[in-house]
């Protein structure tokens, strides 16, 4: 079947996109989706930007200081503070998007003046905010802007920096280990310095650039102790900023454990399969649906869209019992095959991070 050195085949077309099968029906369904989006003031006005306060205060499921807690009631991090102090463009989107959940934020005064970024959305608020002990919009925008400029993932980088900060808090990592950075909670400039080292793979940044899981393995060897219990990840992927301990957020106890994408909060699994599992997200990904535009849209509308665009009938039963399962099983197979340095063992790695078995130390739940 060809050379074993062949890793992939890329195919590029040169012609125009094909016409949709039923243009009138596509337009009618677009109106259904648009009307649904226009009814949701929250998504249009704030996007996910309300989450920085709401998820911590109301559902106790936001990472606070590397998930040592998941509750906070810091009103300084409320969406009204972002809206009034840093948002300079409130409705921003791709052409034709009815939700316009993106915002543009810029720090207008102070030492971080001029830092500019989109949103930040909830994940950036959480991981580059309370997760690092940061509770002001200006510092959060500064860190998000920097992470964007460095070309890093805010979730993975925020997670590994929070992990490093907890090790510093517990005196496992020293100021010397961190190349002179005193990595205290809430010090945005210290975290900015660490982020730059990670991007350039300088000093300790080279170690942390491997991600939280590999960093934990290597630091454990270096310090001759197990530090995986402080690494909040599943299958090597940092947990999205939605915890499971309160039971009040959408992920369930099995959501990250059983997902082929581990800590990815957009691919969580659950039961029953037809309403709460990855199989629905696989449909969204395969159909290139935006989750935010399809919130509240009946599943039937999505299948109607599929037929209107392609001209091919696809039933719910066929998708959930056959086609989606093929994709999921292929993902699982690749996960089990592993990579050059890690092999996944389900009986070991299909597990929540140890922190999620600790009780929440504060909050209502």
């Amino acid at each position: 079947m060809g050379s074993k050195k062949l890793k992939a085949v890329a195919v590029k077309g040169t012609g125009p996109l094909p016409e949709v099968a039923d243009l009138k029906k596509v337009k009618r369904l677009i109106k259904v989706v648009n009307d649904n989006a226009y009814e949701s003031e929250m998504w249009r006005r704030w996007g996910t930007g309300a989450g920085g306060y709401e998820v911590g205060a109301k559902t106790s499921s936001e990472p606070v200081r590397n998930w040592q807690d998941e509750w906070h009631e810091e009103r300084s991090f409320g969406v009204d503070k972002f809206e009034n102090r840093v948002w300079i463009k409130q409705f921003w989107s791709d052409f034709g998007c009815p939700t316009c959940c993106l915002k543009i934020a810029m720090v207008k005064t102070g030492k971080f003046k001029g830092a500019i970024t989109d949103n930040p959305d909830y994940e950036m608020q959480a991981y580059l905010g309370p997760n690092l002990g940061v509770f002001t919009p200006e510092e959060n925008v500064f860190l998000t802007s920097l992470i964007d400029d460095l070309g890093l993932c805010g979730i993975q980088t925020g997670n590994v920096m929070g992990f490093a900060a907890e090790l510093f808090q517990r005196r496992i990592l020293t100021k010397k280990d961190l190349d002179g950075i005193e990595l205290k909670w809430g010090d945005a400039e210290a975290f900015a310095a660490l982020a730059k080292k990670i991007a350039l793979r300088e000093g300790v940044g080279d170690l942390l650039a491997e991600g939280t899981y590999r960093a934990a393995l290597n630091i454990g060897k270096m310090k001759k102790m197990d530090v995986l219990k402080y690494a909040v990840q599943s299958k090597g992927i940092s947990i999205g900023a939605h915890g499971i301990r309160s039971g009040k957020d959408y992920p369930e106890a099995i959501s990250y454990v059983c997902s082929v994408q581990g800590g990815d909060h957009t691919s969580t699994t659950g039961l029953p399969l037809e309403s709460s599992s990855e199989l629905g997200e696989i449909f969204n990904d395969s159909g290139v649906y935006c989750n935010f535009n399809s919130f509240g849209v009946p599943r039937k509308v999505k299948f109607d869209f599929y037929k209107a665009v392609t001209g091919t009938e696809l039933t719910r039963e066929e998708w959930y019992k056959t086609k989606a399962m093929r994709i999921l099983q292929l993902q699982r197979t690749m996960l089990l095959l592993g990579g050059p340095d890690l092999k996944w063992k389900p009986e070991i790695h299909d597990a929540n991070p140890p922190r999620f078995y600790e009780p929440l130390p504060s909050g209502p739940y």
Side-chain angles (χ1 to χ4, degrees):
M1 295 298 291
S3 171
K4 288 183 170 59
K5 294 182 179 180
L6 181 66
K7 302 300 181 186
V9 176
V11 179
K12 180 181 179 181
T14 57
L17 291 172
E19 296 291 331
V20 298
D22 188 340
L23 183 58
K24 286 185 178 179
K25 189 169 185 179
V26 167
K27 289 182 176 180
R28 190 162 64 249
L29 290 169
I30 287 175
K31 186 178 185 306
V32 171
V33 173
N34 286 354
D35 289 346
N36 177 76
Y38 295 147
E39 291 177 3
S40 176
E41 181 187 359
M42 184 189 78
W43 290 119
R44 287 177 54 77
R45 180 176 176 180
W46 294 321
T48 62
Y53 172 78
E54 299 276 319
V55 177
K58 295 187 177 180
T59 62
S60 293
S61 54
E62 182 173 4
V64 179
R65 299 178 182 87
N66 195 40
W67 296 92
Q68 292 181 80
D69 207 339
E70 296 181 32
W71 176 83
H72 74 83
E73 206 170 27
E74 296 286 346
R75 295 192 178 275
S76 61
F77 215 59
V79 68
D80 57 314
K81 306 301 188 297
F82 282 86
E83 185 176 35
N84 295 324
R85 282 166 34 186
V86 296
W87 285 355
I88 59 173
K89 185 175 179 66
Q90 188 158 359
F91 299 104
W92 186 41
S93 70
D94 292 328
F95 178 77
C97 174
T99 302
C100 302
C101 64
L102 278 175
K103 320 297 172 190
I104 299 179
M106 185 177 75
V107 179
K108 301 173 184 176
T109 60
K111 59 183 173 181
F112 302 129
K113 182 179 179 179
I116 187 168
T117 186
D118 55 346
N119 281 34
D121 66 357
Y122 166 65
E123 297 293 323
M124 297 305 96
Q125 283 183 333
Y127 260 117
L128 301 174
N131 183 61
L132 305 180
V134 168
F135 291 97
T136 70
E138 288 79 9
E139 290 174 312
N140 181 238
V141 169
F142 162 66
L143 287 171
T144 303
S145 175
L146 176 65
I147 292 298
D148 284 346
D149 289 346
L150 293 174
L152 297 172
C153 169
I155 297 175
Q156 306 304 315
T157 308
N159 184 286
V160 77
M161 291 199 299
F163 167 69
E166 183 173 353
L167 296 188
F168 181 74
Q169 168 199 322
R170 296 180 181 278
R171 300 182 181 179
I172 296 170
L173 286 179
T174 66
K175 188 175 178 179
K176 182 179 179 181
D177 292 327
L178 294 169
D179 304 327
I181 298 173
E182 196 163 2
L183 201 61
K184 292 183 177 180
W185 299 116
D187 189 338
E189 290 177 293
F191 285 109
L194 184 61
K196 291 175 184 176
K197 284 185 173 291
I198 291 171
L200 298 173
R201 300 191 76 111
E202 290 181 352
V204 70
D206 189 46
L207 180 66
L208 299 177
E210 292 295 318
T212 304
Y213 181 73
R214 285 182 173 86
L217 294 178
N218 291 327
I219 292 171
K221 291 176 184 176
M222 182 175 73
K223 296 293 183 177
K224 295 182 173 55
M225 62 185 300
D226 178 19
V227 296
L228 270 173
K229 60 185 176 182
Y230 306 120
V232 187
Q233 54 76 41
S234 179
K235 299 183 180 72
I237 299 175
S238 301
I239 297 290
H242 295 272
I244 64 172
R245 287 185 281 181
S246 71
K248 300 299 180 180
D249 208 332
Y250 71 86
E252 305 171 25
I254 65 170
S255 290
Y256 299 116
V257 174
C258 296
S259 171
V260 294
Q261 293 180 208
D264 179 9
H265 68 289
T266 66
S267 299
T268 56
T269 194
L271 295 172
L273 292 179
E274 288 201 12
S275 60
S276 302
S277 74
E278 298 159 285
L279 305 182
E281 291 304 322
I282 291 172
F283 185 87
N284 287 348
D285 291 344
S286 301
V288 200
Y289 285 105
C290 169
N291 272 345
F292 295 154
N293 281 333
S294 59
F295 274 137
V297 174
R299 196 68 54 89
K300 181 181 182 301
V301 172
K302 297 182 181 181
F303 284 92
D304 288 345
F305 239 123
Y306 180 92
K307 183 178 180 180
V309 171
T310 67
T312 304
E313 184 80 39
L314 177 65
T315 66
R316 283 175 62 102
E317 183 177 12
E318 184 182 9
W319 174 256
Y320 284 104
K321 292 188 176 180
T322 306
K323 294 186 182 296
M325 290 303 294
R326 287 174 182 165
I327 296 172
L328 187 64
Q329 288 160 2
L330 181 60
Q331 288 179 296
R332 186 71 180 178
T333 299
M334 290 188 287
L335 179 67
L336 293 172
L337 286 172
D341 63 331
L342 293 174
K343 300 294 181 185
W344 297 107
K345 298 179 180 179
E347 66 276 14
I348 297 174
H349 298 114
D350 282 358
N352 280 312
R355 176 131 293 159
F356 281 3
Y357 295 104
E358 300 172 6
L360 290 172
S362 66
Y365 305 113

